Amino acid sequence: MSGILGSSHSARCVTDILRVAIPVGVGLASALYLKTNFPKLMGISGFSKDKSIPMVLVRQGDSTHDAEYNEDPGLFLAKCERLYGPVFNLKIHYLNLTCVSGVGFIREVYTNENVSFKDHLDDLTGLRAFMSGLTKSNKGADGRTIHDVIKNGISTQMDWIARGLSDKMAIVTDEQLGFCQERVIEKVPEAVAMIIASALADIFMGPKAAQDPALLKAFIYCTSDFAQLLMHGYIRNFWAIVTAKLNYNVLNPLCKYVQTLTRVATSILEERRQQEAEANERGEEYERPRDILQNMVDNMDYYNLIDLEDVCGHILLMVLGSVHTTGEACTSLLYFLGAYSEYIEPLYQEQTEILDEQQKERQEMRQAKLTSGEVSSMLAFEGTDLDPMDDRAITNKAVKKMAKMDSIYREIMRYQSPPIMGTHKANEDVVLSNGMTITKGTRVTCNGWSVHQTRETQGEDPTEFRPFRYVGKNKAATKAAPDFLPFGLGRHVCPGRFLAVHDMKIFGALIVGRYSKIEILEREKTKLMLQNRLGTTPPSPLIFTSRPGVQLSPAAFAIAL
């Protein structure tokens, strides 16, 4: 097994190992954090007991299927499906797995309430105890509280969130990349991480939080620490897992980040209470902030939260599933635009047409109000929803219309998804439509190649990267389905995917609106970069060239001075 990690495939292999356990949407499998201290793992019994499910023969001289798989994952999985049918057993990534292929069987398994990826991961790493160690309440909710916060505090405020994200991203993008002619950015993932973390910190905890260096560090690094922790203990023996579960409730290594969030939140809320008191003294109505922190504090009883530290623990759980995931996809976008630079202008043209239409609609609305006498002059619109300064803002409505931008992100996630992904544990017997049984205790995984890289599910040239493959096909990047699995499927589908894709599209719009050309500095590494899985470190710096006439945002310009 040491040969796998030591080969030229090492980064992708380590990433795929964790991807088998964790859906792509969780975004924890960056090889940047997992290439060292990888323990010698103990195989567990995970095959279905149904003897009619065939075992794929191990190549002569090998003890597992890893080596043959790593040579060409697609070719290997296609051979397995051709020789053994849509359901077969594998010894791969240190696990004994029953693998299901094709849209139909994947739907049957992953929408079944008796299979669970959380139970699988908890058995191997003590995940639930780890998560519980960050919060004081809702320990048995299994993510239900986070679902409710996303539903009430995010999904209902997408218009406000879109404006906040675009404003903050614009400022930090200008700080990180700036106005440039052929400027080389050496550490692209770090720059993207700062852009995404700053924008989400603003949405989660407010503008003051987004300016706190320690909080931004917590947003950026908590997920990498989490991934490293999971990998350090991946598939240990029984007593090691029991010990870890006990320790996570007492000595959780991510509690330091909860303390950072709590410190910042305490200062923010004290300032807000003072502002509210002053407004009351003046007889004015206090306009409550709309960020997630305020939503949770105002509804602590509804969410069954205990105190501010508990609130911040739940916020950190949301950060774990958002900042790194979004950053990975946005980083990949930059490299694909560097490799396929001819698609920058079509994306820019789409955005220009959408914003032209939006500007025209707003102009007509202002003119109607002037004509009717509802307002007396254009000055009356300043500071209102029809302020001319906002005519070309990237709004929620505008983002929804960006079909090409949506398509390129969906294509990136499809193209870079691992061939084997999303292992679940069967908690009861699951009988498939072909009569085979996924017996209780089985570790069942998905042949992602059979749905992401086949003509039947993806159309022409499924192994090629086609950015606008999904334009006009009613297949949004947020649409979880058996033929698109990056965000999971069934009851464990990622609840934050709508915010994630929204963030990604806003980032993409800002990039193509500011830069006319992106180049990969080391062009000879382009093929390697395109073959990387989501979460692996890009191999080359990028060169950015600004569009003529593009200006820095006012805040970034002031910093530059």
Side-chain angles (χ1 to χ4, degrees):
M1 300 301 291
S2 61
I4 297 173
L5 298 181
S7 72
S8 60
H9 298 282
S10 61
R12 188 173 70 186
C13 295
V14 176
T15 298
D16 285 353
I17 289 169
L18 196 55
R19 288 292 192 206
V20 166
I22 306 176
V24 175
V26 181
L28 303 179
S30 176
L32 178 64
Y33 315 117
L34 304 179
K35 288 169 67 177
T36 59
N37 299 320
F38 190 79
K40 189 174 183 179
L41 305 180
M42 175 189 69
I44 64 171
S45 178
F47 297 142
S48 173
K49 296 177 182 178
D50 185 342
K51 300 301 182 182
S52 68
I53 298 178
M55 177 72 200
V56 175
L57 292 178
V58 176
R59 189 172 59 182
Q60 187 175 2
D62 294 339
S63 58
T64 72
H65 297 103
D66 291 277
E68 187 177 2
Y69 170 84
N70 290 325
E71 288 171 6
D72 191 326
L75 183 64
F76 172 74
L77 290 170
K79 184 188 77 170
C80 291
E81 193 173 359
R82 184 178 69 256
L83 296 179
Y84 299 97
V87 185
F88 46 84
N89 291 325
L90 293 174
K91 292 183 177 181
I92 193 165
H93 298 332
Y94 300 98
L95 294 169
N96 296 331
L97 301 172
T98 294
C99 185
V100 296
S101 311
V103 168
F105 289 115
I106 288 173
R107 179 188 289 111
E108 288 181 37
V109 172
Y110 292 104
T111 59
N112 191 296
E113 63 180 12
N114 291 318
V115 296
S116 170
F117 92 85
K118 290 183 180 179
D119 288 343
H120 166 69
L121 195 58
D122 188 53
D123 285 350
L124 273 59
T125 65
L127 177 68
R128 284 194 176 91
F130 177 88
M131 295 297 194
S132 295
L134 297 176
T135 60
K136 298 179 181 180
S137 63
N138 302 305
K139 294 183 181 292
D142 213 12
R144 188 68 257 168
T145 303
I146 302 300
H147 280 250
D148 290 342
V149 171
I150 291 173
K151 178 181 177 181
N152 300 324
I154 294 178
S155 300
T156 60
Q157 298 197 89
M158 291 307 293
D159 290 339
W160 169 78
I161 286 174
R163 184 58 194 272
L165 286 172
S166 60
D167 287 349
K168 188 63 179 180
M169 278 192 193
I171 293 171
V172 186
T173 298
D174 291 341
E175 292 172 4
Q176 294 293 315
L177 306 179
F179 180 82
C180 49
Q181 294 298 322
E182 298 187 350
R183 178 185 178 185
V184 176
I185 303 297
E186 296 283 348
K187 298 180 178 180
V188 177
E190 288 84 347
V192 173
M194 181 58 71
I195 293 168
I196 300 302
S198 299
L200 288 178
D202 199 334
I203 299 302
F204 284 165
M205 298 182 66
K208 184 177 179 180
Q211 297 174 356
D212 189 290
L215 184 132
L216 291 178
K217 182 179 179 180
F219 270 50
I220 292 171
Y221 291 111
C222 68
T223 306
S224 63
D225 287 357
F226 182 33
Q228 192 173 40
L229 184 70
L230 284 182
M231 209 59 186
H232 180 70
Y234 191 64
I235 317 182
R236 296 163 295 192
N237 63 49
F238 174 78
W239 290 111
I241 294 173
V242 171
T243 302
K245 290 183 178 183
L246 294 174
N247 287 338
Y248 287 156
N249 282 303
V250 180
L251 301 173
N252 195 311
L254 263 65
C255 282
K256 62 183 179 182
Y257 295 124
V258 177
Q259 296 304 318
T260 297
L261 268 62
T262 303
R263 174 186 60 79
V264 175
T266 299
S267 175
I268 290 171
L269 293 175
E270 287 177 352
E271 182 178 313
R272 290 178 180 179
R273 291 190 188 99
Q274 182 177 349
Q275 292 171 348
E276 183 175 15
E278 292 173 354
N280 291 336
E281 288 179 3
R282 295 191 301 268
E284 300 173 357
E285 183 177 355
Y286 175 66
E287 185 176 349
R288 306 192 73 75
R290 302 173 68 177
D291 51 64
I292 303 304
L293 171 63
Q294 194 67 53
N295 173 272
M296 295 180 73
V297 169
D298 289 345
N299 297 280
M300 290 184 66
D301 290 341
Y302 176 81
Y303 296 127
N304 296 314
L305 301 169
I306 293 175
D307 55 22
L308 184 57
E309 186 175 351
D310 192 24
V311 170
C312 291
H314 283 83
I315 291 177
L316 188 67
L317 291 180
M318 288 186 280
V319 173
L320 285 172
S322 59
V323 174
H324 189 58
T325 304
T326 306
E328 284 181 356
C330 291
T331 299
S332 289
L333 174 70
L334 296 180
Y335 281 90
F336 273 90
L337 291 179
Y340 297 89
S341 58
E342 66 271 24
Y343 290 103
I344 293 178
E345 284 308 306
L347 290 167
Y348 176 65
Q349 185 61 35
E350 174 187 62
Q351 175 181 323
T352 300
E353 292 173 359
I354 291 170
L355 296 183
D356 284 347
E357 181 184 357
Q358 175 178 282
Q359 184 176 30
K360 181 181 178 181
E361 290 177 355
R362 290 170 61 86
Q363 288 173 342
E364 291 174 349
M365 292 172 68
R366 285 195 296 269
Q367 186 58 49
K369 289 180 178 291
L370 286 167
T371 302
S372 68
E374 186 176 342
V375 297
S376 58
S377 71
M378 288 292 292
L379 294 175
F381 295 112
E382 293 183 4
T384 70
D385 291 341
L386 286 176
D387 192 325
M389 293 292 291
D390 298 333
D391 280 359
R392 301 189 71 80
I394 300 176
T395 62
N396 183 36
K397 184 178 179 181
V399 170
K400 288 181 177 180
K401 292 181 178 180
M402 294 179 184
K404 290 180 179 178
M405 185 65 72
D406 191 275
S407 177
I408 193 171
Y409 272 117
R410 181 179 170 111
E411 179 71 346
I412 287 171
M413 289 188 282
R414 177 198 74 86
Y415 191 79
Q416 290 193 313
S417 290
I420 292 179
M421 60 191 298
T423 299
H424 288 50
K425 176 185 178 181
N427 293 318
E428 299 291 341
D429 288 357
V430 176
V431 180
L432 302 178
S433 57
N434 66 351
M436 290 180 172
T437 300
I438 306 297
T439 56
K440 182 178 179 180
T442 298
R443 309 290 166 165
V444 57
T445 197
C446 164
N447 177 0
W449 189 271
S450 70
V451 292
H452 289 148
Q453 302 283 347
T454 59
R455 184 185 299 269
E456 292 75 17
T457 55
Q458 306 300 337
E460 296 294 323
D461 304 320
T463 59
E464 299 297 320
F465 180 76
R466 292 174 51 194
F468 302 151
R469 180 184 299 272
Y470 303 107
V471 174
K473 294 185 178 179
N474 191 30
K475 290 191 174 184
T478 56
K479 192 172 183 178
D483 64 348
F484 185 67
L485 301 169
F487 290 115
L489 189 66
R491 63 193 180 103
H492 291 305
V493 67
C494 175
R497 66 192 185 280
F498 296 100
L499 177 62
V501 172
H502 209 73
D503 298 349
M504 289 150 51
K505 291 170 71 173
I506 290 174
F507 174 84
L510 289 170
I511 291 297
V512 300
R514 279 166 164 69
Y515 303 100
S516 59
K517 185 167 63 173
I518 300 173
E519 300 171 271
I520 298 173
L521 181 62
E522 301 171 52
R523 298 293 298 182
E524 69 276 8
K525 293 184 178 180
T526 298
K527 184 177 181 180
L528 173 63
M529 179 277 300
L530 295 180
Q531 291 175 339
N532 280 346
R533 304 296 175 206
L534 278 172
T536 54
T537 307
S540 170
L542 292 178
I543 306 171
F544 290 81
T545 299
S546 294
R547 290 189 179 279
V550 171
Q551 297 180 342
L552 293 173
S553 61
F557 182 73
I559 292 173
L561 292 177

